[in-house]
Amino acid sequence: MGKYFNNASSKLFPPYEEIIISLSKFGYVLFAFLAGVRTDPTLIGKTGRTALILGSLSSVTAFIILESTGFLFPKGLKTGGAKNAKAMFARIYMACMIQTQFVGVSFILMQLKMINSQLGHIALASSLVNELLRLAFGLMSGFLYTFNVSERAGVQTIIFSLIFLVLILTLMKRLMLVVVRITPEGQPVKEIYATVTVATVFLISTWGDSIGLNYLVGPLILGLVLPARSPLAEILIAKFDTIVSGFLLPLMAMLYASKVDLWQIMKEFESLLIFKISLIGFTMKVAATFFLAKFCKIPTRHAVALALILNAKGINELGTLGSYSTFRDIHSTSGIFLIFLLQALQPLVKMLYHPAEHYLSYKKMSVEHASGDAEFKILTCAYRQEDAVAAIKLLEYSNPTQESPLSVHGLCLEELVSSFTPLLINHQLGQKNSSSKGSRSQPIVDIFRYLKSEHKKSVQVQVFTAISPLKQMHEDICWLSFNKSCSLIVLPFHKKWNSKGKMVSNNNDLRNLNIKVLELAPCSVGILIDRTRTHGLSSIFNTSATYRVATIFVGGPDDREALAYALRMARSPEVHLTVVRFIGHDDHAHQRWQFMIDEDLMRRLRSEMSGGTNINYIEKKVRDGSDTSSTIKSMVGDLDLIMVGRSSHGTDSEALSGLSEWTDLPELGPIGDLLASEDTTCPVSVLVVQQQIRKESPKIAWKFW
C-alpha cells in the first residue's frame, strides 16, 4: 500500500513499536515454554529405527549443507570487525531455512490434521531426534565460541550454565511434581500455581540471557521437565494457549510482516544474495530429506510429503530471525518474505498423503459375511464409563461360545489436551498412562477386564487407550480396527440421558468423530444409543433372564448387517428376537439385485426359526413413512434393544417415504433418527448399523507417483 498511499505504513502501524516488540517477546517466550510442556521427551525412547536414522542423518545433512554453501557468501561477510555481526546473521538466516524444528513440525501436523497418521508419527519422532542433536551441537558451539573469545569467560559460562541446568532439572522439576502430587485426584490445579509457574518462566528466561544462553533455552527446558498431560500441564495450556496462539504470536507475525517492502524486494532482487543462497539450501535440504526417506523404504509420494513436513517453516523461524535482527535492511526483511513464501508448500502435503490409505480394506469385513463358526472380532469404543457399561451388556448377549468365541478390543478414548504427542497405549503390554495416577481411562479398562473374567473360555479381551485430538481420533479407531481385522466397530452415541430420561449431555465433538468413522472405517460400524435407566457399575450385574431384541428390516446392506448381528445374538436362549419387516407397495420394483440378496437372508432367517422358538417374524405392509413411524413407536416400550440399519435402499423405499425430510441426525438414518429423538422416552437402547463400505484408494493429485 505504501507505493500508492503516502504514509500508509505510519498510519497503520503507529510508533508504539517498543510495546509491540515487548509483547511479541513475551509471546515467544511463552510459546517456547508451552511447546516444551506439550512435548513428551519419552517419545525418544519409543522412536523406531526409521525415525532414528532419518532424524540423525537429517541433522547431519543440515550441517553439511550449511557449511558447504558458506563459501558462496561474499568475502566481506567472512571478515571480522563490524561485518562479523552480518556474517553471524547470514548464518542464522540460512540455518533457519535448512534446519528441522520439532515444534514447527508438531504445529504443521496439527494444522494439517495428520498428527495421528503413520507419517505424522515418523515426522514427530525424527524431528525430536533432530532437535535434540541440534540443541546439543548448538550448546557445544556456543561454549567453544566463548572460549575462543576469552578462556575466563568460557569457564564462567560453562559453570553458570551447569548451575542453571541443574537447578531446572532438580529443584524446579521437584517443585512442579509436588504441585501435581498435592492436587486431589480428578481436581484441577489451583490457578495460583499456574500463575507462579509462568512468572518463573520469565525469571528463568532473563537469567539464562544474562549468563550467555539464548533466552528461550530456559523456558524450553522447564517445559520439557514438566510431565506432559499432567494436571499442571493441562491448566497451563488451558489458561495461556489461547492468548499466546490467538493474540501474541499473530501480533509478532504482523509486526515482522510490516517490515517487509515487497516493491523494494522486487526492485533489488538481484542483490539479495543471502535470500538466494538460503532458498538453494532449503531446496537441497528438501531433496536430501526425500532421498533419506527413500533410503528408509518409504513410498515415493509419502517421502515427498515427509520431506515437506520436516522442512516446514513458520512462527518458530520468524521468532528466531526476530531475536537476532531489528529488520532495518532489505537482507533481513527478505528472510520474513521467504518464510511467508514457503507457506505455499504446505497444502501440497494434503495432496500427496492421505492417512486413510493405510487402513483401506479390500476384504469383506462385516457381520453378514463373517463365518458363523469363526472368531467374531469387535472394536468397542468408550469415551466415558457409561459407554463401556452399555457396550458390555451388548457384548454379553452376543452369544460368545467356545465354538464361536468373541474377540473384543476395547478402546478408551481420551482427548489430547496438553501435549503434542498422541499415544496409543496397549494395556496388555503393561503400558500405562504416565500423565497422572488417576487416569480417566482406568475405570473403563477395569470394566472391559470384568467381561474377560466372566467369560474366560469364550471371550478374549484386549484393551487400549487412544490419547489424541478429538478431530483426529478417528485415525486411531480406523487403524486399530484394520490392524485387528475387526468385523464391527461399536461407537457411543453423542447424547446421554439420566435415570429419569432427561438428556444431560450433547457432545458435538463426539458426534463429528462418529461421522468421520462412518465415512472412513474399513469394516462395519454400529452407533450404540444407550437409554437404559440404570447407570453405573451396578447395571452390569442386573442381568435379566430374557433380553428382548427387535430388528427393523426394510432392505438394503445396512439392514442385512443389523439382522445378521441379531441372528447371531438369537443363538443364545436368553435372547428373544423379533424381526419386523416393512414392505411398501412398490418396493420390489426398486433395486431388484438388493431385493434378491434380502430374500437370501430371509431364507436364512426362516431356517434359524425352524431350529428354535425364540425368534418371531412379523411382516407389515405400509403406505409411507408415517405408517412405519407409528408402528415402530407402538412397539418400543416392550423391548430392551432395537437394531436398525443406517439406510435402507438408499432411503427410496415407500416404507420410509417422508421420514428423511425430518431427519436431524443423518448419520443415524431415518429410523435411527426417529428412535434417538426426544419423542422417544422409553428406556430402550438402539444399535444403528452401517455395513462396510468398500472404498477405492483416495484420489491422488499426481497420478504418475
Side-chain angles (χ1 to χ4, degrees):
M1 292 175 69
K3 184 175 176 67
Y4 301 105
F5 302 99
N6 294 330
N7 303 320
S9 182
S10 60
K11 289 177 181 176
L12 283 172
F13 307 104
Y16 304 124
E17 194 170 280
E18 291 301 320
I19 297 173
I20 298 178
I21 288 174
S22 299
L23 285 173
S24 299
K25 291 285 174 68
F26 278 129
Y28 197 44
V29 168
L30 284 174
F31 169 76
F33 171 66
L34 294 178
V37 169
R38 282 192 168 106
T39 303
D40 186 1
T42 61
L43 180 67
I44 197 74
K46 304 168 189 173
T47 301
R49 200 178 111 196
T50 299
L52 192 62
I53 293 171
L54 193 60
S56 304
L57 293 180
S58 178
S59 182
V60 172
T61 303
F63 176 75
I64 292 171
I65 292 172
L66 189 60
E67 294 301 319
S68 63
T69 53
F71 74 93
L72 295 173
F73 291 124
K75 291 182 180 179
L77 285 181
K78 300 178 184 178
T79 59
K83 292 186 177 178
N84 194 42
K86 289 186 178 180
M88 185 176 291
F89 178 73
R91 191 176 180 84
I92 292 167
Y93 185 136
M94 188 166 180
C96 281
M97 303 307 162
I98 291 174
Q99 290 172 343
T100 297
Q101 300 207 32
F102 174 78
V103 176
V105 170
S106 304
F107 268 83
I108 187 66
L109 288 171
M110 293 282 273
Q111 185 181 349
L112 295 172
K113 299 179 182 178
M114 288 185 179
I115 202 161
N116 259 21
S117 63
Q118 282 195 329
L119 201 68
H121 292 162
I122 294 172
L124 274 178
S126 57
S127 63
L128 184 57
V129 172
N130 194 307
E131 184 81 10
L132 291 175
L133 290 173
R134 188 176 63 83
L135 189 62
F137 180 77
L139 287 172
M140 287 176 59
S141 299
F143 292 149
L144 289 173
Y145 176 78
T146 310
F147 262 110
N148 290 333
V149 174
S150 167
E151 288 187 9
R152 183 180 177 182
V155 171
Q156 285 182 339
T157 301
I158 291 175
I159 292 172
F160 287 139
S161 298
L162 287 174
I163 295 171
F164 178 75
L165 292 172
V166 168
L167 280 173
I168 293 177
L169 295 173
T170 55
L171 180 62
M172 297 306 303
K173 182 179 181 180
R174 185 162 295 182
L175 287 172
M176 289 190 292
L177 290 176
V178 167
V179 170
V180 173
R181 201 175 297 119
I182 64 175
T183 302
E185 186 178 321
Q187 296 295 318
V189 173
K190 291 181 180 178
E191 291 192 8
I192 184 64
Y193 294 132
T195 307
V196 170
T197 302
V198 170
T200 306
V201 168
F202 290 116
L203 287 173
I204 284 177
S205 177
T206 307
W207 182 21
D209 188 55
S210 66
I211 62 175
L213 295 175
N214 187 295
Y215 70 97
L216 298 175
V217 171
L220 181 62
I221 295 174
L222 185 65
L224 286 170
V225 299
L226 175 62
R229 293 178 291 276
S230 66
L232 182 56
E234 288 181 4
I235 194 171
L236 286 167
I237 297 295
K239 281 183 70 67
F240 297 102
D241 185 56
T242 301
I243 193 169
V244 172
S245 60
F247 174 66
L248 295 175
L249 292 182
L251 189 71
M252 182 176 78
M254 181 210 70
L255 172 68
Y256 294 156
S258 70
K259 306 291 183 183
V260 179
D261 188 339
L262 292 177
W263 302 104
Q264 188 184 7
I265 288 175
M266 287 189 285
K267 185 178 179 181
E268 301 181 27
F269 187 76
E270 292 297 324
S271 64
L272 298 179
L273 185 61
I274 302 175
F275 177 92
K276 294 174 184 177
I277 295 172
S278 298
L279 188 57
I280 292 168
F282 172 81
T283 308
M284 290 170 64
K285 177 66 187 310
V286 171
T289 309
F290 167 75
F291 287 115
L292 289 173
K294 287 296 292 177
F295 172 74
C296 295
K297 298 181 180 179
I298 295 174
T300 304
R301 270 192 306 105
H302 297 178
V304 176
L306 184 60
L308 293 174
I309 291 170
L310 289 177
N311 292 283
K313 305 302 167 194
I315 202 73
N316 230 26
E317 289 72 21
L318 207 59
T320 303
L321 286 179
S323 300
Y324 292 96
S325 174
T326 55
F327 301 116
R328 297 190 186 279
D329 62 274
I330 189 171
H331 292 287
S332 55
T333 57
S334 69
I336 302 171
F337 176 64
L338 182 56
I339 290 170
F340 283 113
L341 198 64
L342 295 177
Q343 303 303 305
L345 296 175
Q346 293 177 11
L348 293 177
V349 177
K350 289 291 260 184
M351 298 170 65
L352 291 164
Y353 179 71
H354 300 266
E357 292 176 33
H358 293 291
Y359 45 79
L360 279 174
S361 179
Y362 299 100
K363 296 181 184 177
K364 291 182 178 179
M365 304 299 295
S366 62
V367 183
E368 182 186 1
H369 299 104
S371 172
D373 299 329
E375 188 178 42
F376 183 37
K377 297 181 179 180
I378 301 180
L379 175 64
T380 306
C381 304
Y383 191 68
R384 298 180 180 180
Q385 187 174 327
E386 293 84 358
D387 301 331
V389 171
I392 291 300
K393 197 156 191 175
L394 174 70
L395 295 170
E396 284 191 311
Y397 286 108
S398 295
N399 191 37
T401 62
Q402 286 183 272
E403 294 75 24
S404 180
L406 202 62
S407 179
V408 178
H409 303 279
L411 183 62
C412 316
L413 307 177
E414 278 195 41
E415 185 177 6
L416 182 70
V417 177
S418 56
S419 174
F420 281 136
T421 314
L423 293 176
L424 184 61
I425 300 169
N426 186 343
H427 294 281
Q428 285 65 243
L429 302 178
Q431 297 175 353
K432 295 181 180 179
N433 184 355
S434 59
S435 60
S436 62
K437 58 184 178 182
S439 171
R440 186 172 61 82
S441 64
Q442 192 55 48
I444 301 174
V445 174
D446 295 337
I447 291 170
F448 281 116
R449 285 177 175 165
Y450 162 80
L451 177 67
K452 169 64 178 172
S453 66
E454 290 294 303
H455 304 273
K456 292 181 179 178
K457 295 182 178 179
S458 57
V459 177
Q460 292 294 323
V461 177
Q462 291 185 317
V463 191
F464 303 83
T465 296
I467 305 175
S468 56
L470 273 176
K471 290 182 179 179
Q472 285 106 60
M473 200 174 277
H474 62 277
E475 302 286 350
D476 285 322
I477 297 170
C478 293
W479 167 248
L480 191 59
S481 67
F482 175 77
N483 192 39
K484 299 299 180 182
S485 301
C486 295
S487 298
L488 181 68
I489 299 170
V490 177
L491 301 169
F493 189 50
H494 66 277
K495 292 182 180 180
K496 301 296 173 192
W497 292 266
N498 61 14
S499 57
K500 296 179 181 179
K502 183 181 178 182
M503 189 174 70
V504 292
S505 173
N506 186 358
N507 190 331
N508 203 47
D509 289 330
L510 193 58
R511 181 192 174 192
N512 292 332
L513 172 65
N514 290 348
I515 292 171
K516 275 287 185 186
V517 175
L518 286 168
E519 289 175 359
L520 300 171
C523 63
S524 297
V525 181
I527 297 178
L528 182 59
I529 305 169
D530 178 31
R531 284 183 176 272
T532 52
R533 297 287 168 86
T534 54
H535 292 283
L537 293 174
S538 60
S539 61
I540 299 180
F541 308 106
N542 297 336
T543 54
S544 56
T546 60
Y547 192 63
R548 298 160 300 174
V549 180
T551 301
I552 297 170
F553 190 90
V554 179
D558 294 351
D559 282 15
R560 290 196 300 271
E561 188 73 359
L563 180 55
Y565 191 8
L567 288 175
R568 178 187 172 89
M569 295 176 71
R571 293 175 197 163
S572 168
E574 298 173 341
V575 175
H576 283 203
L577 173 63
T578 302
V579 180
V580 182
R581 186 180 188 185
F582 291 99
I583 301 175
H585 292 294
D586 260 345
D587 277 0
H588 302 339
H590 301 293
Q591 303 205 16
R592 296 189 63 82
W593 175 248
Q594 290 292 337
F595 177 72
M596 290 170 64
I597 304 175
D598 293 344
E599 285 302 308
D600 188 53
L601 188 59
M602 288 296 111
R603 283 190 288 272
R604 179 180 155 193
L605 170 63
R606 294 183 188 101
S607 173
E608 296 275 353
M609 289 173 63
S610 63
T613 58
N614 63 333
I615 302 177
N616 294 325
Y617 175 69
I618 301 170
E619 215 171 79
K620 286 190 174 289
K621 291 198 173 184
V622 291
R623 293 170 299 175
D624 52 24
S626 62
D627 282 0
T628 305
S629 174
S630 58
T631 305
I632 292 171
K633 286 179 179 178
S634 66
M635 58 187 278
V636 294
D638 301 323
L639 299 168
D640 297 306
L641 174 69
I642 299 177
M643 304 176 75
V644 301
R646 182 190 175 196
S647 61
S648 308
H649 286 313
T651 68
D652 61 358
S653 169
E654 280 192 1
L656 300 176
S657 62
L659 284 182
S660 58
E661 297 173 11
W662 303 97
T663 300
D664 293 323
L665 305 170
E667 68 271 18
L668 299 181
I671 297 178
D673 179 79
L674 175 70
L675 293 168
S677 67
E678 295 181 8
D679 298 335
T680 304
T681 56
C682 298
V684 58
S685 295
V686 181
L687 183 67
V688 181
V689 182
Q690 172 187 276
Q691 193 176 72
Q692 176 199 21
I693 300 174
R694 303 284 293 279
K695 293 175 280 289
E696 296 180 1
S697 181
K699 292 182 180 179
I700 306 305
W702 296 323
K703 290 290 184 182
F704 56 85
W705 268 318

